Amino acid sequence: MNGIHDLGGMHGMGPIDAETDEPIFHAEWERRMFALMLATFANGSFKGDEFRHAIERMEPAEYLNTSYYEHWLHSLERLLVEKGQVAPGELEAAWKNAANAADAEGAA
Amino acid sequence: MPALTAETAVATLMAGASARIDVEVAAKFKAGDAVVARNINPAGHTRLPRYVRGKRGTIDKDHGVFGLPDSMAHGGGDAPQHVYSVRFSAREVWGAEAPPRDCFYVDMWDDYLDPA
Amino acid sequence: MASHDHTEPPSDIALRVKALESLLLDKGLVEAETLDAIVDLYEHNIGPQNGARVVARAWTDPEYKARLLSDATPAIAELGYRGAQGEDMVVVENTPEVHNLLVCTLCSCYPWPVLGLPPVWYKAAPYRARAVSEPRAVLAEFGVDIGDDVEVRVWDSTAELRYMVLPERPAGTEGLDVEELEALVTRDSMIGTALLEAR
């Protein structure tokens, strides 16, 4: 697809922002996201090309405004639902549970 | 799909799984052949970047037989075919102002190429 | 307490990942120990020190270098490095006449077994957009000035081949042993965004 991911030769993306002494992961959620993707890829839940294509189908502005592991999160959520491994309602329930748990923690 | 144990998952990642397909498929091109990247614009997945479509290059190396992402990303078969490293001059793609010596290489499947 | 529309994903990315992890654990699609082991593997066991060993060996062993440049995957496996995102490797050699640079314009393909996981800049839009169209400007931002008499070759990893640059051995390193040479080799020199110097 002629998507936003196909970046070669585009102008206006700005300078290279190289970080000195960059850590492998920048936050705990990046570690978990990395492992969730690899664990479900390694057990055969989807193919690599399916995963890439699910990233490519992100809304273009969101693609540019989000980090690499956020791309992975969008792709994995979408693929697991499309492949029937997770029902859409299950994902929504998981969001609700996580939000409620965070609220309870905040109120405590 | 059932969860992998830690041991199996690590062993799987450490071993890797080559995307090569062990099947005899005739190569459409050989090193040195002049080719042109097809101007295709599929709505689905492809690994043919826009910047190289319609441009002329030269086959540098035949890497052997791999499945076609355009098919595999959509539940299709492997559509096994040769993948080549194709050399393009910077000037062919970016115009007369590009440095004369510079070039780039793009890995391309048979389905992405026509004879030039 | 904020009121949430719980049919929308949480705006807090960490919460959204936690929700997915809980769901996949509950459904038996992943195991917690497996997730920990995967993180540990890539955070502690795999990184550019692997590629540095390959480079130092190639600098000091001409027969190994010949094997590495003609068929990289088994040559790299001789040193024990293989696996996901490095199943089919190609090594390209920098010389006084040629400077190589790696990119993946379409996603972020990178040779994990030899270089580890890629840095953020390699995965971000500016590098992916510009490396193919203005590699010399990109290299200048990394402080690398390539002469007009040198050919710049950019390798766009669009298929399942994974690339690594064999950087030039710096002058003045004739007396160093393999371990000392390994210590000179940087991640960026194996991507092509740095040149090496003797320390």
Side-chain angles (χ1 to χ4, degrees):
Chain A
M1 66 184 284
N2 294 343
I4 190 63
H5 67 286
D6 186 359
L7 287 164
M10 285 185 76
H11 288 145
M13 294 296 169
I16 314 297
D17 186 15
E19 188 180 338
T20 312
D21 296 326
E22 181 175 336
I24 293 172
F25 298 104
H26 291 73
E28 181 60 18
W29 70 264
E30 291 192 348
R31 285 189 186 85
R32 308 316 290 174
M33 190 60 239
F34 174 77
L36 285 170
M37 184 279 184
L38 281 197
T40 46
F41 175 68
N43 84 355
S45 293
F46 50 85
K47 293 182 178 178
D49 288 304
E50 293 173 323
F51 186 75
R52 289 186 184 127
H53 189 49
I55 291 177
E56 294 162 10
R57 288 182 284 149
M58 284 179 70
E59 197 274 315
E62 189 168 26
Y63 180 96
L64 289 176
N65 277 324
T66 50
S67 69
Y68 181 66
Y69 289 116
E70 286 177 85
H71 295 176
W72 281 30
L73 171 63
H74 282 261
S75 181
L76 188 58
E77 284 179 352
R78 183 169 192 158
L79 268 185
L80 292 174
V81 170
E82 287 179 354
K83 292 195 154 278
Q85 300 217 31
V86 166
E90 288 179 320
L91 200 52
E92 286 171 13
W95 291 338
K96 188 173 179 177
N97 289 341
N100 287 342
D103 285 348
E105 214 167 89
Chain B
M1 296 293 200
L4 299 180
T5 63
E7 195 178 23
T8 307
V10 167
T12 302
L13 293 169
M14 291 290 280
S18 173
R20 283 183 193 282
I21 299 179
D22 188 15
V23 55
E24 287 282 323
V25 180
K28 288 188 187 166
F29 304 99
K30 62 182 188 306
D33 285 356
V35 291
V36 59
R38 286 182 177 162
N39 179 18
I40 56 169
N41 290 272
H45 183 62
T46 186
R47 296 291 286 180
L48 177 59
R50 260 175 295 183
Y51 72 85
V52 83
R53 294 178 196 165
K55 307 298 183 184
R56 289 166 180 268
T58 308
I59 302 283
D60 183 64
K61 189 179 179 189
D62 182 346
H63 285 296
V65 176
F66 291 81
L68 182 71
D70 309 46
S71 174
M72 295 191 295
H74 299 286
D78 292 334
Q81 53 192 271
H82 284 255
V83 168
Y84 313 90
S85 185
V86 184
R87 176 186 167 109
F88 296 88
S89 75
R91 286 201 164 171
E92 164 71 9
V93 175
W94 308 113
E97 289 181 15
R101 290 169 183 267
D102 293 358
C103 65
F104 51 85
Y105 293 75
V106 182
D107 290 328
M108 303 175 77
W109 282 256
D110 260 324
D111 271 13
Y112 296 170
L113 295 166
D114 280 321
Chain C
M1 190 178 91
S3 71
H4 298 280
D5 176 354
H6 288 316
T7 61
E8 292 295 321
S11 55
D12 178 348
I13 188 78
L15 204 57
R16 187 163 164 183
V17 173
K18 187 176 273 189
L20 183 63
E21 180 177 352
S22 302
L23 176 59
L24 299 188
L25 288 168
D26 285 350
K27 291 180 70 75
L29 295 173
V30 298
E31 287 182 7
E33 283 174 9
T34 303
L35 301 177
D36 293 340
I38 291 171
V39 170
D40 186 58
L41 178 64
Y42 286 95
E43 195 159 28
H44 299 119
N45 296 337
I46 295 176
Q49 68 277 10
N50 296 2
R53 272 194 70 206
V54 173
V55 169
R57 174 76 184 273
W59 284 346
T60 54
D61 180 344
E63 289 179 9
Y64 180 77
K65 179 178 163 183
R67 292 200 295 282
L68 183 68
L69 294 176
S70 66
D71 193 2
T73 313
I76 290 168
E78 284 178 40
L79 300 189
Y81 309 130
R82 56 201 294 260
Q85 294 299 309
E87 293 94 342
D88 291 285
M89 288 291 304
V90 176
V91 173
V92 290
E93 182 186 18
N94 281 353
T95 68
E97 293 80 35
V98 174
H99 182 85
N100 294 283
L101 181 69
L102 313 183
V103 66
C104 173
T105 61
L106 295 175
C107 50
S108 305
C109 298
Y110 192 76
W112 292 3
V114 281
L115 296 191
L117 301 180
V120 166
W121 61 260
Y122 182 89
K123 303 178 283 192
Y127 184 76
R128 288 167 47 202
R130 298 172 56 207
V132 279
S133 55
E134 46 172 0
R136 288 170 187 266
V138 167
L139 287 166
E141 284 179 34
F142 282 93
V144 175
D145 184 28
I146 302 293
D148 291 342
D149 56 337
V150 175
E151 174 183 325
V152 173
R153 293 182 182 169
V154 182
W155 300 82
D156 190 357
S157 315
T158 48
E160 297 304 333
L161 289 311
R162 294 292 171 269
Y163 291 84
M164 186 181 96
V165 174
L166 175 60
E168 280 190 90
R169 180 171 173 167
T173 59
E174 293 75 16
L176 300 186
D177 65 23
V178 170
E179 285 76 23
E180 289 167 328
L181 289 170
E182 273 175 43
L184 294 181
V185 181
T186 63
R187 176 196 69 199
D188 285 8
S189 75
M190 295 179 280
I191 301 173
T193 53
L195 302 176
L196 295 177
E197 291 173 9
R199 284 191 198 133

